[in-house]
């Protein structure tokens, strides 16, 4: 637990320049509080104390605005920025070094049973207000843009935007994260640079119009 808190504080400081001190990260970040409570609630859930685990998660939601089902499996160095309105479903699996922004939903799509929530690989970033729905997989180091709705598997290193989500770019697969790397190293390697397909289309059409006008002028 103490290792988890230490890593979480380091991750907060690496990702948010407003976290100027360790005390600030410990006191002022509800994402950290939600994760500490979730570790405890998850332990209760695994020991079949499900009523108390669910009650604990509801208390955590009241205190932090973040709802994490105690059945969710979450890896190391998980960062929730601001966090208000984040919802993480029961069968969600989240890898190491993932980042969620406020208003993110990792949810299901109906009344199906079994594995019905998403699986996030390592280093995944999900932007503000985005939804990842159903039993789908987001590959390592993939990104979901703000407001996007992902309902299909996302390859490793790819970026998803729009409603419904569509892949607009893929990047080379980076080297896997190593334990000896600091959270700050991981954060610098995961800065969000989302492509803009609409901007690219407009630039292409503008260039095409300029070429046609030049030909007409000749």
């Amino acid at each position: 637990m103490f290792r988890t808190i230490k890593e979480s504080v380091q991750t907060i400081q690496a990702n948010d320049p407003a976290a100027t001190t360790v005390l600030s990260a410990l006191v002022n970040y509800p994402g950290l509080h939600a994760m500490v409570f979730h570790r405890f609630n998850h332990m209760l859930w695994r020991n079949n104390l499900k009523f108390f685990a669910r009650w604990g998660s509801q208390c955590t939601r009241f205190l932090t605005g973040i709802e994490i089902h105690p059945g969710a499996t979450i890896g190391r160095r998980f960062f929730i920025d601001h966090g208000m309105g984040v919802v993480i479903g029961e069968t969600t699996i989240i890898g190491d070094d993932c980042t969620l922004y406020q208003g993110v939903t990792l949810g299901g799509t109906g009344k199906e049973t079994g594995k019905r929530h998403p699986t996030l690989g390592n280093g995944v970033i999900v932007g503000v207000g985005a939804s990842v729905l159903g039993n789908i997989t987001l590959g390592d180091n993939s990104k979901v843009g703000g407001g996007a709705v992902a309902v299909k598997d996302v390859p490793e290193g790819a970026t998803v935007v729009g409603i419904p989500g569509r892949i607009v770019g893929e990047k080379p697969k980076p080297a896997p994260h190593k334990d000896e790397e600091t959270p700050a190293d991981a954060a610098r390697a995961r800065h969000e640079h989302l492509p803009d397909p609409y901007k690219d289309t407009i630039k292409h059409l503008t260039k095409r119009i300029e070429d046609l006008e030049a030909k007409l002028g000749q």
Side-chain angles (χ1 to χ4, degrees), residues 106-159:
L106 305 180
T109 56
K111 295 183 179 180
E112 68 271 19
T113 58
K115 183 70 169 74
R116 61 188 187 279
H117 298 100
T119 297
L120 279 59
N122 298 327
V124 173
I125 298 175
V126 184
V128 176
S131 298
V132 184
L133 304 176
N135 182 20
I136 64 174
T137 299
L138 306 186
D140 292 350
N141 301 293
S142 60
K143 298 174 184 174
V144 180
V149 178
V151 293
K152 296 181 180 179
D153 290 347
V154 178
E156 183 174 346
T159 300

Side-chain angles (χ1 to χ4, degrees), residues 44-207:
L44 294 177
W45 183 267
R46 293 182 61 185
N47 285 278
N48 210 34
L49 298 172
K50 296 187 176 181
F51 172 83
F52 296 102
R54 288 299 306 275
W55 180 74
S57 71
Q58 293 305 302
C59 292
T60 302
R61 183 180 71 166
F62 177 78
L63 293 171
T64 66
I66 299 169
E67 181 175 349
I68 307 177
H69 192 287
T73 302
I74 301 177
R76 297 168 60 185
R77 297 177 293 274
F78 179 51
F79 179 52
I80 304 176
D81 195 8
H82 296 287
M84 181 61 69
V86 168
V87 178
I88 300 175
E90 175 184 358
T91 59
T92 300
I93 299 174
I94 299 175
D96 297 334
D97 303 300
C98 291
T99 299
L100 304 186
Y101 291 90
Q102 63 267 30
V104 167
T105 298
L106 305 180
T109 56
K111 295 183 179 180
E112 68 271 19
T113 58
K115 183 70 169 74
R116 61 188 187 279
H117 298 100
T119 297
L120 279 59
N122 298 327
V124 173
I125 298 175
V126 184
V128 176
S131 298
V132 184
L133 304 176
N135 182 20
I136 64 174
T137 299
L138 306 186
D140 292 350
N141 301 293
S142 60
K143 298 174 184 174
V144 180
V149 178
V151 293
K152 296 181 180 179
D153 290 347
V154 178
E156 183 174 346
T159 300
V160 176
V161 298
I163 304 174
R166 61 192 182 282
I167 296 171
V168 295
E170 297 187 35
K171 295 182 179 180
K173 298 178 183 179
H177 181 82
K178 299 178 181 178
D179 288 338
E180 62 267 25
E181 291 177 338
T182 67
D185 294 331
R188 282 191 289 270
R190 295 186 290 112
H191 284 313
E192 195 165 10
H193 298 290
L194 296 179
D196 187 340
Y198 299 110
K199 178 181 178 181
D200 294 340
T201 300
I202 291 171
K203 287 175 64 177
H204 174 76
L205 290 175
T206 301
K207 181 64 169 59

